[in-house]
Amino acid sequence: MSTHKILFGDSREILPTIKERIALVITSPPYYVERGYESYLRSEEDFWDMVTEVFYLCANVVEPFGKVAINFADRFANSATMGRPMEILYQDHYDRIMRSCGFDLWARIIWDKVKVYDNASQHLAGPQNKTGQMRVAPNWEYIFVWRKNSLGKPPIKKVDMTDKERVEWTDSIWHFPSVSRNEVVGGSKTAKFPEELPRRLIRMYTEPGDLILDPFAGTCTTTKVARDLGRNSICVERNSDMKEYIQEYLERKEGHMFEEDSTVTYD
């Protein structure tokens, strides 16, 4: 029987209260794009300070040789932000943070989002791009995995990949589509990653009964997949307006999640 905690609040306040040992963190931190839900951050520097503190706190609860998998993309900065349009690489930011937290970069995955050009970036092929200033559709994101630097030998996990999956997932370019439609909740668009993303990571790096954490949970897709795979989970979401949506989302397909053998905490 698996247990799942949905905790509402700031991860910087909630993570120090977690006593369990985490086998795997899967998360996609918010992007600092100056939207309403970022009103608690005064600047991009504040944003990176917040991200750094969250991962320092994650390091305190991740088990020896445990993993932190971060899904992120580079940033397109417009003229209003930087004075001119440009793209800003985020890889160095995250690697610097994770190394300072005691983690080694373990795997780099390029997620090919499949037909993102057809679905979302048709305007880039418009006449305005025939001026010698061509832009291209970023049809990928990153999934970087860091492993906690620990003494001794790493544990042997009873992972449940098939042999076919083990071979296919060794390829560092993963091909599966992104979520085709993100709903708006409380005035902000949800930003789900597809269920295939945590499904692969959970089956690669954990065994049934392990505990998964997502400190930037959003719609709690990590919990949904962890439950389906017989793992336990803790998800932390800052926006309590998401509660009703999360309940509906988790119950949407496989039946009712909130049974007596499941633990859901709202904080």
Side-chain angles (χ1 to χ4, degrees), residues 21 55-62 148:
R21 302 301 281 173
F55 286 117
Y56 264 106
L57 293 170
C58 286
N60 292 334
V61 295
V62 169
K148 192 171 185 178

Side-chain angles (χ1 to χ4, degrees), residues 32-263:
Y32 186 71
V33 289
E34 299 174 286
R35 293 183 177 175
Y37 58 79
E38 299 167 332
S39 58
Y40 69 103
L41 300 169
R42 296 170 297 176
S43 65
E44 186 165 9
E45 183 178 359
D46 278 355
F47 165 75
W48 286 114
D49 286 345
M50 179 272 294
V51 170
T52 301
E53 185 175 355
V54 168
F55 286 117
Y56 264 106
L57 293 170
C58 286
N60 292 334
V61 295
V62 169
E63 68 184 22
F65 298 102
K67 313 296 190 301
V68 175
I70 306 176
N71 166 226
F72 66 96
D74 296 320
R75 181 185 178 192
F76 171 78
N78 57 28
S79 298
T81 303
M82 300 297 293
R84 60 192 185 279
M86 65 174 68
E87 295 194 21
I88 300 173
L89 300 179
Y90 273 2
Q91 301 172 53
D92 288 346
H93 286 75
Y94 280 112
D95 192 49
R96 184 168 57 251
I97 290 169
M98 295 309 298
R99 282 190 288 110
S100 70
C101 293
F103 287 80
D104 299 324
L105 184 57
W106 194 246
R108 292 173 293 166
I109 300 159
I110 304 296
W111 166 29
D112 171 15
K113 296 163 69 175
V114 183
K115 295 185 177 180
V116 69
Y117 170 82
D118 294 338
N119 293 336
S121 303
Q122 295 173 349
H123 64 282
L124 291 179
Q128 75 277 7
N129 249 337
K130 295 177 66 176
T131 62
Q133 306 299 325
M134 185 74 177
R135 295 195 65 85
V136 299
N139 63 344
W140 73 92
E141 290 186 9
Y142 306 105
I143 307 166
F144 280 20
V145 181
W146 285 267
R147 187 176 80 160
K148 192 171 185 178
N149 189 357
S150 307
L151 298 175
K153 294 183 178 180
I156 298 174
K157 298 277 187 179
K158 297 178 180 178
V159 299
D160 49 10
M161 291 181 292
T162 66
D163 288 340
K164 182 173 184 286
E165 289 169 337
R166 176 175 51 81
V167 172
E168 289 180 351
W169 297 351
T170 301
D171 189 329
S172 62
I173 301 178
W174 288 358
H175 307 272
F176 52 85
S178 58
V179 173
S180 59
R181 178 177 175 270
N182 281 293
E183 299 90 338
V184 175
V185 179
S188 297
K189 183 179 288 189
T190 59
K192 292 184 218 166
F193 44 53
E195 294 178 21
E196 182 66 10
L197 190 156
R199 186 180 77 86
R200 292 190 184 194
L201 294 166
I202 289 171
R203 295 182 66 197
M204 286 171 68
Y205 293 119
T206 71
E207 61 187 5
D210 273 345
L211 181 58
I212 318 297
L213 169 68
D214 188 342
F216 300 105
T219 59
C220 294
T221 300
T222 298
T223 280
K224 185 177 186 300
V225 176
R227 176 198 61 184
D228 295 343
L229 295 177
R231 275 66 164 179
N232 305 297
S233 72
I234 298 174
C235 279
V236 184
E237 169 52 35
R238 194 174 192 278
N239 183 7
S240 60
D241 291 339
M242 290 292 295
K243 176 181 175 181
E244 183 177 347
Y245 177 89
I246 290 169
Q247 287 180 308
E248 191 276 331
Y249 173 58
L250 294 177
E251 298 167 11
R252 189 173 296 167
K253 292 180 181 178
E254 289 79 12
H256 202 291
M257 175 185 172
F258 306 114
E259 299 171 351
E260 291 184 1
D261 61 350
S262 297
T263 301

